[in-house]
Each structure stands twice: as C-alpha cells, then as structure tokens.
Amino acid sequence: MADGHLNKCSECCKRDVKKHREENLEYYKNYDRKRNSLPHRIEARNIYQKTIQGKNAGRKAKIKWKMNNLDRRAAHVIFENAIKKGQIIKKPCEICGSVYRIHGHHDDYTKPLEVKWLCSKHHKEVHKNVKRQTRGSDSIPAV
Ligand SMILES: [Zn+2]
Ligand SMILES: [Zn+2]
C-alpha cells in the first residue's frame, strides 16, 4: 500500500501462512516419502556408501568378517587334508554316539586339527547355540 503496509493486518498474514502450512503438511510428507524412494535418491545413498565416511562405517565389520572367514577356510583346508591323509580318523558323535554323517566342528580355527565330532543333527544344534550366544554382534559362528 501507499503507506508501506500490506493490505492485510499481520495477524491475518500469520493465520494464512499457518493455514497454508497445515494444508500442505501431508503433501510435503508424502513428497518426502516419495522422493526417498526415487531412483536418484537411492543412487545418492549408494554413492554415499562408497564415500570415505560410508566406507569407514562398514569397513570394520568387513575386515572382521574377512579375517574370520579366512581363518575358517584355512582351518577347513588343513582339516580336510588331514582326513584324506588319514592323519585324523572320524569318530562317533560326542553327544549321541551316532556314526552316520559325522562332521568335524571347530571351536577354534587357530587349531584346525582340534575338532568336536558331531552328527549332522547335533552339529546343527551346536551352531544354533553359537548363534544365540553371538546374536547382536557381527561375529561369524564357527563351522
Ligand atoms: Zn549326535
Ligand atoms: Zn561346526
């Protein structure tokens, strides 16, 4: 207006802004939700995970997993070779005495020749318990 004031009083202006915001809140919420599932947003997240920051977050767990996995594989190779060479003789299941489908279970991968002899049923049970004990951490259960 000529005197420098808007042609609405300031209270009316505030009310209009508030009303407008409320009307649009749902719209913006939906907009955000939709936007987060758009391909370029997903891509942005993937790119973030490749950045130093994103990498550092997953690096520790990955290294731990890799070390665990290498230990496990190395232990199995040594163990299987020892069986082939007859250096280790399979024994009955330590829990039920079954001689069928016997597995060598490693409690400690740094001792590849020290295994518990378990039938497949009890081997599974041991692993269930290992999983329960390590739940919530990123450690890999023994095989
Ligand atoms: Zn058994
Ligand atoms: Zn095992």
Coordinates of all heavy atoms in Angstrom, one line a residue, residues 76 103-107 109 116 118 123-124 126-127 142-143, ligand 2:
H76 N 39.6 -75.3 7.5 CA 38.9 -76.4 6.8 C 39.8 -77.1 5.8 O 39.7 -78.4 5.7 CB 37.6 -75.9 6.1 CG 36.4 -76.0 7.0 ND1 35.4 -76.9 6.8 CD2 36.1 -75.3 8.1 CE1 34.5 -76.7 7.8 NE2 34.9 -75.7 8.6
H103 N 30.4 -84.8 11.4 CA 31.1 -83.6 11.0 C 32.2 -83.3 12.0 O 32.0 -83.6 13.2 CB 30.1 -82.4 11.0 CG 29.0 -82.6 10.0 ND1 28.0 -81.6 9.9 CD2 28.7 -83.5 9.1 CE1 27.2 -82.0 9.0 NE2 27.5 -83.2 8.5
G104 N 33.2 -82.7 11.6 CA 34.2 -82.1 12.5 C 33.9 -80.7 12.8 O 33.9 -79.9 11.8
H105 N 33.6 -80.4 14.0 CA 33.2 -79.0 14.3 C 34.4 -78.3 15.0 O 34.9 -78.8 16.0 CB 32.0 -79.0 15.2 CG 31.7 -77.6 15.8 ND1 31.1 -76.6 15.1 CD2 32.0 -77.1 17.1 CE1 31.1 -75.5 15.9 NE2 31.5 -75.8 17.1
H106 N 34.7 -77.1 14.5 CA 35.8 -76.3 15.0 C 35.3 -75.3 16.1 O 34.5 -74.4 15.8 CB 36.5 -75.5 13.9 CG 37.3 -76.4 13.0 ND1 36.9 -76.8 11.8 CD2 38.5 -76.9 13.2 CE1 37.8 -77.5 11.2 NE2 38.8 -77.6 12.0
D107 N 35.8 -75.4 17.3 CA 35.6 -74.4 18.3 C 36.6 -73.3 18.1 O 36.3 -72.1 18.4 CB 35.8 -75.0 19.7 CG 34.5 -75.7 20.2 OD1 33.4 -75.2 19.8 OD2 34.6 -76.6 21.0
Y109 N 39.4 -71.9 15.2 CA 40.0 -72.1 13.9 C 41.6 -72.0 13.9 O 42.2 -72.4 13.0 CB 39.5 -71.0 12.9 CG 38.1 -71.0 12.7 CD1 37.3 -69.9 12.8 CD2 37.5 -72.2 12.4 CE1 35.9 -70.0 12.6 CE2 36.1 -72.3 12.2 CZ 35.3 -71.2 12.3 OH 34.0 -71.2 12.1
K116 N 35.5 -81.1 17.4 CA 34.5 -81.9 18.1 C 33.8 -82.8 17.0 O 33.4 -82.2 16.0 CB 33.4 -81.0 18.7 CG 33.7 -80.7 20.2 CD 32.5 -79.9 20.7 CE 32.8 -79.5 22.1 NZ 32.2 -78.2 22.4
L118 N 30.7 -84.5 15.7 CA 29.2 -84.4 15.9 C 28.5 -84.9 14.7 O 28.9 -84.7 13.6 CB 28.8 -83.0 16.2 CG 29.5 -82.3 17.4 CD1 29.3 -80.8 17.3 CD2 28.9 -82.8 18.7
H123 N 25.5 -81.3 15.3 CA 26.3 -80.2 14.7 C 25.4 -78.9 14.6 O 25.8 -77.8 15.0 CB 26.9 -80.6 13.4 CG 27.9 -79.7 12.9 ND1 28.3 -79.6 11.6 CD2 28.7 -78.7 13.5 CE1 29.2 -78.7 11.4 NE2 29.5 -78.1 12.6
K124 N 24.2 -79.2 14.0 CA 23.3 -78.0 13.8 C 22.9 -77.4 15.2 O 22.8 -76.2 15.3 CB 22.0 -78.5 13.1 CG 22.0 -78.4 11.6 CD 20.7 -78.8 11.0 CE 20.9 -79.2 9.6 NZ 19.9 -80.2 9.1
V126 N 24.7 -77.4 17.9 CA 25.8 -76.6 18.4 C 25.8 -75.2 17.8 O 26.0 -74.2 18.4 CB 27.1 -77.3 18.2 CG1 28.3 -76.4 18.4 CG2 27.3 -78.5 19.1
H127 N 25.6 -75.2 16.5 CA 25.6 -73.9 15.8 C 24.4 -73.0 16.2 O 24.6 -71.8 16.2 CB 25.6 -74.1 14.2 CG 27.0 -74.4 13.8 ND1 27.8 -73.4 13.3 CD2 27.7 -75.5 13.7 CE1 29.0 -74.0 13.0 NE2 28.9 -75.3 13.3
A142 N 31.2 -70.3 14.4 CA 32.1 -71.4 14.0 C 31.4 -72.4 13.1 O 30.3 -72.7 13.3 CB 32.8 -72.0 15.2
V143 N 32.2 -73.1 12.2 CA 31.7 -74.2 11.4 C 32.5 -75.4 11.7 O 33.7 -75.3 11.8 CB 31.7 -73.8 9.9 CG1 31.4 -75.1 9.1 CG2 30.8 -72.7 9.6
Ligands
ZN2 ZN 30.6 -76.5 13.2

